[in-house]
Amino acid sequence: MAPPAEIVLDEPTKQLCAAVSQGRQAPVRLAILAPGGYGKTAVLDQLEQGCLRAGTPVARFRSHGDPALVLVDDAHELGDADFAELLRIAADERFGLVIAARPAPRPAGLKEVLGRLRGQLVLRPLDTARTAQLAGGLPARLAEFVRTQTGGVPGFANDLSWALDSRNSTTEPEIPAAALTAFRHELDRADADTLRVLLAAEIGAAGDAELLAGLLESAQQRAGEVVDAARATGLLGQDGVLLPIAGVALRALLPADRRRAVFGRLAKLQLERGGQVLPFVRPLLGAGPGGAAQGGDTTTAAVFAAAAGEATSDDPSLAARLYDAAVAAGLPPTEIGAKRAEAVARAGDLDTALRLADEVIASADAPARAEGAMVAGAALAHRGQLARSTQLFRWSGSALSSVFATIGLLGTGRLDDARQQFARPPEDEPPTLLAGAMSAAAQGLLDTVSGSPTMALSTLVSSAEMLEPVGRSVLLPDSPAALGALVALHNGELAIAETLLERAIAAESGGRVLAVRHRLLLAWVAMVRGDAEVASARLASAGSGTGSGSGSGSGSGKSELAPRDWLFAVALRVGLARRASDVAGLRRIWGQAREAVIRHPVDLFTLLPFGEFAIAAARLGERDRLAPHLRQARELTSALGDPPLWTTTLHWSGLHSAITAERPEEAREEAAALAAASGPYAEALSTAAASWLRLIGGDIDRDEVEAAATGLHRAGLWWDGARLAGQAAIRTPDRKAMVALLETARLLQGGQAQAPRTEDAPPAPAGAPRLSERELQVAELVVAGMTYKQVGDRLFISAKTVEHHMARMRQRLGAASRSELLARLRTLLLPD
């Protein structure tokens, strides 16, 4: 039990109380009008104690006899006989009179008595400083918590201050149950209508006179009087907003069925007048979907469905729960099946969305079957079933689904069908931002096959920007930003890809269901650049687990990715392991890579991961297992006319797969295909391919390699440029060329764009110990920052052998520690 509330008054009020106590205001005619909790009783107690100390006669009402200062508490609860006695006292100049009452209710007798008084003592909520004074020894953070939760109402602030444990000031404060004890008495004494108004205030409806009149089944004037009574409790502010601590008390102390009845009644009234019902329905949801409806409350299925429609845009997970509640309340599932499926899909649960959409499509009398097909088509696209997705979009028949079908047809290699589909969109549909953005995306993708890659990318960038204002609340099979980023990656425009994806993430284009895709592609950009740390961080931020990509998504509380996202996530891990020369890690992830390849058909928009798998398969001796899928990729691009934008990267991956598998003839075929393509990016890859062919043949020209590596760097392939220079360095018999090429590799791997140095490396210092050719190779790579394992993988020797070479060099150079050895090797290899 908290002690009586300490009186924390402002200075003018203190002076008035002192004057009354000392008899300097006689005869006193004073009213103290304030809601509950504001300290009226405490002020009367203070006046009584002050009078006793000053020798001023004082008495409580009904205990008064001789002339004195009469103190009256809770005058609003008195009867007519009491008011008659108060009028007699007010007419007698020998008596002083101080009356404390709530502003409402105000009986006629009380009004007459108050009319005889000459002054009023105003009690206001406490400000921050006075709350801190009341809170006493509480830390400042807890004192501010008291003020915000209680609105500065002195009685509530006093109770909460004493209930809080100041020892736990470092944790997030909560309102303890002990602080709610005083509210139980207030709620027990409140009449039914006042409780209804307080509950309406919990969801922000206390200021709506029309709605309250319907709730109370009375005239608006009567509703206003009840609102005044609710304000008089102190739980409701003058602005109609419930105090935070009062909301906690209502939820903790009132029966749940009473609360549901009020919210359900408000929701029905709101629905009848065409207003938003979501604020009234949200509190009705229990722990599970449909819990409120199953609990027997008065809310109808139509109210739940209307609330779900309002929630869909901003909170698809809540919308899905509300649709479930509507069905549990008796609404036929097929009546809202398409909308329900879309909400579930946007919440990330693709499996459930597909099931619900399929039920709608299969039901001949179900409304919105075309919309159900749109949902199923989008979900299947995320699951990697682009061909089946396209069938559903074509069957749906809307202008938007026609655009989606165009993209799907192109992605599966059906160019003529894609052009025909795009040329015959359904008529008489409004040109919305969404339709315009996706139509531009389809046009941009068609241009990648038969037009200018630069113009195609420009169109896709414009499409992504057009979608940003509306993209957050729509279900898409893919986003213009993701498609544009893929085109940019295939064309060496990594900066554009990065900007597109960052903007899409900021704008939440495509909602949560496409957020993972955008982050994975952003990680891909970093991996291509060779920034493994950033790529790994972005991969982790996408929430990519190591599960098998069931497509359940975050909406069902699972961590698995949709199959398309899982394909890219696994390919990223494969690519990062390969670039780190982590063969053991590559073997660990390869099982998932094989599963991802089996589960996801090849399409135009997955050439990047399949290309990465091709190189890794060659490294692990698994080329035969991947051959059918790579053949499908080549057949797909062939059906599209082998557009250079899409085939260049595929041939580049094929080149490295052939080199890794020691298939020189196949490597020459891939290099020839690269040489036939045009454009700056293709030319950079073609030049590098020619350099690779000469390199594996033992013909290493330092200038040529440096030019080719620098060209790769300018095309955004930083890691590839550094690798070309590094491989040339460890294969050349010319020590000076080796040193220069390793320096080039270091510069390019670090992302530095300046041209590598071309001057010859100076000779080693006179008298320096001579190292063997193999020791020089090991030393150069270790000095470049590689681990023993990475050096071993690069030179095809074991890490133990590398360690043995380092030990011999340490002994030969007389180094006392590893750091001293590295310093001497740097001086020996790079004396400048």
Side-chain angles (χ1 to χ4, degrees):
M1 175 84 60
E6 178 186 347
I7 301 300
V8 183
L9 302 175
D10 55 32
E11 195 58 34
T13 304
K14 288 180 182 179
Q15 293 177 5
L16 177 60
C17 288
V20 171
S21 299
Q22 295 167 13
R24 290 187 278 114
Q25 294 284 333
V28 177
R29 297 289 182 269
L30 185 65
I32 306 176
L33 298 178
Y38 276 64
K40 299 182 297 297
T41 300
V43 171
L44 292 179
D45 292 341
Q46 182 165 301
L47 283 173
E48 184 176 34
Q49 295 298 322
C51 288
L52 292 174
R53 287 193 299 270
T56 302
V58 63
R60 294 283 179 161
F61 181 57
R62 296 197 185 99
S63 300
H64 60 281
D66 296 334
L69 173 64
V70 179
L71 306 178
V72 187
D73 201 2
D74 291 330
H76 54 282
E77 295 180 350
L78 300 179
D80 289 343
D82 295 319
F83 294 136
E85 174 63 12
L86 289 175
L87 286 172
R88 186 189 67 78
I89 294 173
D92 191 336
E93 293 292 322
R94 297 173 301 159
F95 286 88
L97 184 61
V98 178
I99 296 178
R102 291 185 176 184
R106 190 173 295 186
L110 178 58
K111 288 181 181 179
E112 188 174 358
V113 172
L114 293 176
R116 301 292 181 89
L117 305 183
R118 294 190 290 267
Q120 180 173 334
L121 183 62
V122 178
L123 301 180
R124 298 184 178 88
L126 304 177
D127 57 18
T128 301
R130 289 195 293 153
T131 303
Q133 182 182 345
L134 178 68
L138 288 181
R141 192 170 71 93
L142 289 183
E144 179 59 20
F145 175 73
V146 169
R147 191 193 67 79
T148 56
Q149 292 296 313
T150 65
V153 175
F156 305 156
N158 182 73
D159 292 341
L160 181 55
S161 296
W162 280 92
L164 286 173
D165 187 351
S166 62
R167 293 171 299 178
N168 295 331
S169 60
T170 58
T171 60
E172 191 66 26
E174 296 181 355
I175 296 176
L180 305 179
T181 304
F183 292 93
R184 184 178 296 279
H185 173 69
E186 186 67 54
L187 296 177
D188 286 344
R189 66 191 287 191
D191 61 39
D193 282 349
T194 300
L195 288 177
R196 291 190 186 100
V197 169
L198 290 173
L199 287 171
E202 186 180 340
I203 52 177
D208 192 324
E210 179 185 351
L211 200 59
L212 290 180
L215 175 66
L216 302 176
E217 298 181 340
S218 64
Q220 290 191 23
Q221 181 179 354
R222 162 63 184 157
E225 294 172 356
V226 178
V227 171
D228 289 339
R231 289 196 183 102
T233 65
L235 307 180
L236 186 67
Q238 293 301 310
D239 56 1
V241 177
L242 198 68
L243 297 181
I245 194 172
V248 175
L250 289 173
R251 291 187 289 274
L253 302 177
L254 288 186
D257 57 347
R258 177 179 289 188
R259 298 178 69 247
R260 284 198 299 266
V262 170
F263 297 148
R265 173 66 177 162
L266 285 170
K268 280 188 173 182
L269 291 168
Q270 185 75 338
L271 184 66
E272 289 172 359
R273 69 177 189 173
Q276 289 191 339
V277 300
L278 182 58
F280 309 106
V281 175
R282 192 190 297 266
L284 296 174
L285 288 176
Q294 293 168 353
D297 62 77
T298 58
T299 305
T300 65
V303 170
F304 277 116
E310 295 170 14
T312 297
S313 176
D314 295 325
D315 193 343
S317 296
L318 175 61
R321 292 180 60 204
L322 289 165
Y323 280 127
D324 289 343
V327 172
L331 196 67
T334 55
E335 187 171 322
I336 55 170
K339 294 179 180 178
R340 185 183 180 196
E342 181 179 353
V344 170
R346 288 186 54 225
D349 190 350
L350 297 178
D351 289 346
T352 302
L354 273 171
R355 176 178 58 79
L356 295 174
D358 195 63
E359 289 175 1
V360 175
I361 298 168
S363 179
D365 58 346
R369 293 176 73 198
E371 288 80 355
M374 289 275 285
V375 174
L380 285 170
H382 286 276
R383 294 184 60 84
Q385 303 295 325
L386 200 55
R388 174 60 180 156
S389 167
T390 301
Q391 284 184 318
L392 286 162
F393 285 136
R394 299 185 84 180
W395 182 82
S396 179
S398 69
L400 188 58
S401 67
S402 179
V403 171
F404 291 157
T406 299
I407 296 172
L409 289 166
L410 185 67
T412 51
R414 299 168 61 183
L415 179 57
D416 291 339
D417 289 341
R419 286 170 173 161
Q420 292 175 11
Q421 183 78 38
F422 191 67
R424 296 197 305 269
E427 298 178 354
D428 301 328
E429 290 196 22
T432 63
L433 269 179
L434 174 60
M438 294 311 303
S439 180
Q443 181 63 67
L445 288 173
L446 288 170
D447 288 343
T448 65
V449 175
S450 56
S452 163
T454 302
M455 289 304 300
L457 186 54
S458 176
T459 303
L460 284 161
V461 169
S462 298
S463 169
E465 293 176 352
M466 192 187 310
L467 183 67
E468 286 177 3
V470 296
R472 180 176 179 270
S473 58
V474 295
L475 177 65
L476 300 173
D478 212 339
S479 73
L483 295 169
L486 285 172
V487 170
L489 280 163
H490 278 274
N491 201 35
E493 300 284 1
L494 300 192
I496 293 177
E498 193 166 42
T499 301
L500 269 175
L501 295 167
E502 287 174 344
R503 289 190 58 150
I505 292 169
E508 299 181 38
S509 291
R512 66 188 300 179
V513 75
L514 273 170
V516 171
R517 179 158 173 77
H518 294 148
R519 295 187 184 279
L520 289 172
L521 289 173
L522 200 56
W524 200 283
V525 172
M527 182 182 73
V528 170
R529 282 181 175 155
D531 196 337
E533 185 177 348
V534 172
S536 298
R538 289 173 175 176
L539 177 60
S541 75
S544 53
T546 55
S548 59
S550 69
S552 299
S554 56
S556 60
K558 300 180 181 179
S559 62
E560 291 89 349
L561 300 178
R564 182 176 65 186
D565 292 335
W566 189 58
L567 178 79
F568 274 84
V570 173
L572 276 163
R573 294 194 194 92
V574 166
L576 289 170
R578 179 174 71 84
R579 285 163 174 79
S581 298
D582 183 5
V583 179
L586 196 57
R587 292 190 186 282
R588 284 193 299 270
I589 197 65
W590 187 245
Q592 291 186 38
R594 285 163 50 185
E595 183 182 351
V597 166
I598 291 172
R599 292 168 63 92
H600 198 297
V602 178
D603 62 54
L604 187 64
F605 311 125
T606 58
L607 296 182
L608 289 177
F610 276 98
E612 195 60 52
F613 291 144
I615 304 172
R619 184 70 183 272
L620 299 176
E622 294 269 352
R623 294 190 86 212
D624 291 343
R625 188 183 297 275
L626 203 66
H629 305 279
L630 296 177
R631 187 165 52 251
Q632 289 178 22
R634 300 297 175 94
E635 291 171 353
L636 189 152
T637 55
S638 177
L640 295 174
D642 285 325
L645 184 138
W646 296 103
T647 58
T648 297
T649 303
L650 194 60
H651 288 307
W652 179 249
S653 300
L655 170 77
H656 287 283
S657 174
I659 291 174
T660 304
E662 298 182 357
R663 303 276 185 88
E665 186 58 38
E666 188 177 324
R668 281 191 286 273
E669 292 176 1
E670 299 289 2
L674 286 169
S678 60
Y681 185 63
E683 289 174 5
L685 296 187
S686 176
T687 300
S691 185
W692 268 109
L693 288 180
R694 282 190 284 275
L695 186 152
I696 61 176
D699 179 11
I700 300 172
D701 183 303
R702 170 188 161 188
D703 293 337
E704 178 188 271
V705 170
E706 288 183 340
T710 304
L712 288 174
H713 182 280
R714 289 174 182 152
L717 305 182
W718 298 357
W719 181 85
D720 288 86
R723 181 168 181 263
L724 174 58
Q727 285 293 308
I730 65 174
R731 293 169 186 259
T732 180
D734 185 340
R735 182 177 172 280
K736 292 180 181 180
M738 177 183 69
V739 172
L741 287 168
L742 281 171
E743 177 68 9
T744 298
R746 279 194 293 272
L747 290 173
L748 298 182
Q749 181 66 47
Q752 298 182 45
Q754 68 263 33
R757 64 182 188 178
T758 59
E759 72 276 7
D760 290 337
R770 294 188 61 82
L771 302 180
S772 69
E773 193 66 32
R774 177 60 87 183
E775 286 171 345
L776 282 172
Q777 292 175 341
V778 170
E780 288 288 354
L781 296 175
V782 171
V783 168
M786 291 187 178
T787 65
Y788 290 173
K789 186 176 185 307
Q790 291 170 332
V791 173
D793 290 338
R794 183 69 62 86
L795 299 180
F796 303 101
I797 58 178
S798 69
K800 198 72 176 175
T801 301
V802 175
E803 185 179 359
H804 174 70
H805 283 303
M806 291 294 288
R808 289 189 62 185
M809 285 186 283
R810 179 176 171 180
Q811 182 180 12
R812 187 173 298 176
L813 296 175
S817 64
R818 186 176 187 276
S819 60
E820 185 179 343
L821 172 61
L822 291 176
R824 294 194 180 188
L825 288 175
R826 291 189 187 99
T827 301
L828 177 66
L829 299 173
L830 300 171
D832 59 331

